[in-house]
Amino acid sequence: MEVKVVKKRIVLVPVPAQGHVTPIMQLGKALDLKGFSITVVQTQNNRVSSSKDFSDFQFLTIPDSLPESDLKTLGPLKFMIKLNQTCEASFKQCLGQLLKEQSNAHDIACVVYDEYMYFSEAAAKEFQLPSVVFSTTNATAFVCRSVIAKVNAEKFSIDMKDPKIQDKVFPGLHPLRYKDLPTSAFGPLESTLKIYIETVNVRTSSAVIINSASCLERLSLARLQQELQVPVYPIGPLHIAASAPSSLLEEDRSCIEWLNKQKPSSVIYISLGSLALMETKDVLEMARGLSNSNQPFLWVIRPGSIPASEWTESLPEEFSKLVSERGYIVKWAPQMEVLKHPAVGGFWSHCGWNSTLESIGEGVPMICRPFTGDQRVNARYLESVWRIGVQLEGELEKRTVERAVKSLLVDEEGAEMRKRAIDLKEKLEASARSGGSSCSSLEYFVNSLKMKNSI
Ligand code: UDP
């Protein structure tokens, strides 16, 4: 008699934002390759579609989650708090329905939820399903959030407004200074603290998976492991372990043809990710500095990233003149392909964790201009720990922009940074290979699920 082997299912719950969707879909792909069936439970906005890359995945939608308009009116921080309040009941329904469809309740191995979708834990608990937290930031940022979650809110709020201490190292978080702490540009400190208290609380979840590697932040990982009562699995960078194209915006591939015409390592690629905003005066100073650097540049200006402007139409005539000679502007780029391109010599980034990992993964040094949250932590590490980036702090000014671009692409300093970046790239690749620390960590996680499910 033929015995049908039923694959165990893992339910993934992503945050509806590019920087969170990308790594969780990569995680899904990595777990798919390990023999699990994958269900992705999404909210109503920013959904990944079931393309050919995910033909084996099941996609479900949480009914009654918040509309896109709430993201615009509330901003990302308050939106996430409200989303967690709204989705708990409807996610329970969703999970209940999924369980009914399984021939056996034990067919679901666990629910893996983004740390910012903390409502998921209650639903998993109700159905006695194991749950696991997935952190899309790094261990250092996680440690910072747990430190911030415990501070005296009143004193912290006063300190963060005091210009005299901004350059001082925050006690216990060397080399991070007060100004490098992951506070949010998207809302008041009060909401930031509120959400951090929730994200660092693992509740009844049995483990934390983190998209990082021990060669990048061994000490922070050890500290996190000591602080949390559950195993921490650093399995990143996931984009090396598993390719899972999941762009929520349409990629403009014409920039690859433009890159094909440029000299090796001559281009500065500029992208501030999916949420950061730019003031018109900063856009102009950037354009002036870039133009004066005489280096070609590929610049992603995301629609809606310049306040009160659909795209670039509100910028003065001067902008078009400055970028017309050596610049190429797109609305959204195939970033990983761009960073792999031999013409790209540097990356001006907001230092989102995915962009940081993708840049290190290609050995590309960076100009760091963080905008919010953990990007500040990443920028500090890029500049002073891994020493593969130059951070631009304070007011943007055309001369500092020009100097930073030249130091990365022309000067000896940039060549040194590139050497270190290539060295880190090799270490990251080794950690993702069989026998490497991240690859082994994924194995341990998978084995832990098998053990749990065989009880
Ligand atoms: N990205 C892209 N094309 C672009 C800009 C960004 O594909 O033009 C991708 C990038 O490769 C990364 C993600 O969007 O995987 C951004 O994530 P990150 O954590 O860097 O920043 P966030 O968007 O969360 O601020």
Side-chain angles (χ1 to χ4, degrees):
M1 195 179 70
E2 198 188 325
V3 180
K4 196 167 168 239
V5 180
V6 179
K7 285 197 210 172
K8 294 276 183 194
R9 182 166 295 279
I10 293 184
V11 178
L12 302 178
V13 190
V15 162
Q18 185 71 68
H20 295 255
V21 163
T22 300
I24 211 166
M25 295 308 289
Q26 290 160 348
L27 175 67
K29 210 66 197 182
L31 293 169
D32 175 46
L33 294 172
K34 295 279 178 199
F36 290 94
S37 296
I38 304 295
T39 297
V40 183
V41 182
Q42 311 190 85
T43 57
Q44 279 160 318
N45 50 341
N46 287 337
R47 279 177 296 182
V48 188
S49 53
S50 58
S51 66
K52 65 175 181 2
D53 298 292
F54 307 115
S55 53
D56 294 345
F57 287 23
Q58 178 188 31
F59 287 89
L60 300 176
T61 305
I62 304 177
D64 311 320
S65 43
L66 302 180
E68 186 80 34
S69 56
D70 273 19
L71 179 58
K72 290 207 176 77
T73 50
L74 295 171
L77 202 57
K78 288 195 173 149
F79 177 82
M80 281 315 301
I81 294 172
K82 188 166 172 200
L83 190 70
N84 273 279
Q85 289 157 351
T86 314
C87 286
E88 190 175 319
S90 37
F91 179 57
K92 275 184 191 163
Q93 267 177 30
C94 216
L95 210 50
Q97 188 59 35
L98 183 64
L99 273 163
K100 267 194 215 144
E101 286 161 17
Q102 307 298 305
S103 49
N104 183 336
H106 295 293
D107 289 348
I108 297 186
C110 75
V111 175
V112 178
Y113 62 95
D114 187 302
E115 58 198 336
Y116 283 88
M117 300 293 263
Y118 44 87
F119 66 85
S120 313
E121 179 267 353
K125 189 166 76 181
E126 182 159 312
F127 295 109
Q128 290 165 7
L129 293 173
S131 66
V132 169
V133 179
F134 177 46
S135 178
T136 64
T137 59
N138 58 33
T140 311
F142 199 126
V143 167
C144 286
R145 278 186 281 124
S146 61
V147 168
I148 292 176
K150 289 182 213 127
V151 292
N152 172 317
E154 217 171 301
K155 180 172 182 314
F156 187 65
S157 164
I158 296 169
D159 285 350
M160 292 312 284
K161 285 187 202 121
D162 181 354
K164 291 196 293 299
I165 61 168
Q166 292 311 304
D167 286 317
K168 293 203 172 127
V169 168
F170 190 88
L173 288 177
H174 182 83
L176 301 174
R177 301 157 298 182
Y178 279 79
K179 63 181 174 190
D180 301 318
L181 296 183
T183 52
S184 178
F186 291 118
L189 196 58
E190 195 190 26
S191 312
T192 310
L193 295 179
K194 192 166 168 188
I195 203 157
Y196 283 0
I197 290 168
E198 301 290 356
T199 61
V200 299
N201 179 0
V202 300
R203 301 174 174 80
T204 62
S205 297
S206 57
V208 173
I209 304 175
I210 190 154
N211 189 18
S212 188
S214 58
C215 64
L216 292 178
E217 40 168 11
R218 195 174 47 81
L219 294 177
S220 298
L221 280 163
R223 179 164 171 186
L224 191 62
Q225 181 57 86
Q226 206 174 19
E227 217 164 276
L228 299 174
Q229 304 294 312
V230 295
V232 175
Y233 296 103
I235 60 170
L238 280 161
H239 77 274
I240 296 185
S243 152
S246 47
S247 190
L248 298 169
L249 296 172
E250 200 186 328
E251 295 168 344
D252 183 345
R253 300 191 45 79
S254 67
C255 59
I256 302 293
E257 283 155 42
W258 180 84
L259 283 174
N260 288 341
K261 295 185 202 127
Q262 311 304 321
K263 292 194 187 111
S265 298
S266 66
V267 174
I268 179 96
Y269 167 60
I270 307 145
S271 162
L272 309 182
S274 61
L275 292 168
L277 305 172
M278 287 185 292
E279 295 294 333
T280 300
K281 68 173 178 23
D282 289 347
V283 178
L284 284 176
E285 282 304 294
M286 277 170 82
R288 289 176 191 132
L290 286 162
S291 167
N292 291 346
S293 76
N294 288 330
Q295 294 296 132
F297 54 95
L298 168 60
W299 192 347
V300 176
I301 302 186
R302 207 185 66 249
S305 60
I306 303 171
S309 192
E310 284 278 320
W311 189 38
T312 54
E313 73 285 354
S314 68
L315 297 173
E317 186 58 30
E318 184 197 353
F319 177 77
S320 322
K321 288 201 188 111
L322 288 166
V323 300
S324 62
E325 203 182 333
R326 272 178 279 275
Y328 196 80
I329 314 274
V330 291
K331 292 180 175 165
W332 193 250
Q335 181 161 302
M336 290 210 227
E337 218 176 315
V338 167
L339 289 169
K340 263 190 197 359
H341 199 287
V344 172
F347 181 12
W348 175 317
S349 172
H350 70 311
C351 305
W353 186 233
N354 295 292
S355 295
T356 302
L357 285 176
E358 289 159 13
S359 202
I360 302 177
E362 296 306 328
V364 176
M366 295 167 81
I367 293 177
C368 311
R369 179 80 178 165
F371 176 73
T372 182
D374 67 306
Q375 297 156 17
R376 304 186 218 274
V377 176
N378 306 337
R380 181 68 171 156
Y381 265 61
L382 281 160
E383 183 175 60
S384 69
V385 178
W386 306 316
R387 295 167 54 230
I388 56 169
V390 185
Q391 186 169 187
L392 292 182
E393 300 187 55
E395 287 277 298
L396 260 193
E397 208 269 314
K398 65 179 181 207
R399 271 181 292 269
T400 40
V401 170
E402 179 188 342
R403 219 177 300 129
V405 173
K406 282 186 177 156
S407 81
L408 215 63
L409 296 176
V410 184
D411 299 346
E412 188 50 33
E413 193 190 348
E416 291 297 320
M417 277 195 267
R418 191 159 305 114
K419 269 192 219 149
R420 285 193 287 272
I422 288 169
D423 184 45
L424 256 191
K425 165 193 158 86
E426 283 162 6
K427 286 188 177 135
L428 278 188
E429 284 170 350
S431 66
R433 270 198 297 272
S434 174
S437 62
S438 293
C439 184
S440 306
S441 208
L442 182 62
E443 286 290 330
Y444 294 139
F445 171 62
V446 166
N447 290 339
S448 76
L449 287 184
K450 287 187 183 149
M451 269 157 58
K452 228 175 246 126
N453 283 281
S454 62
I455 296 168

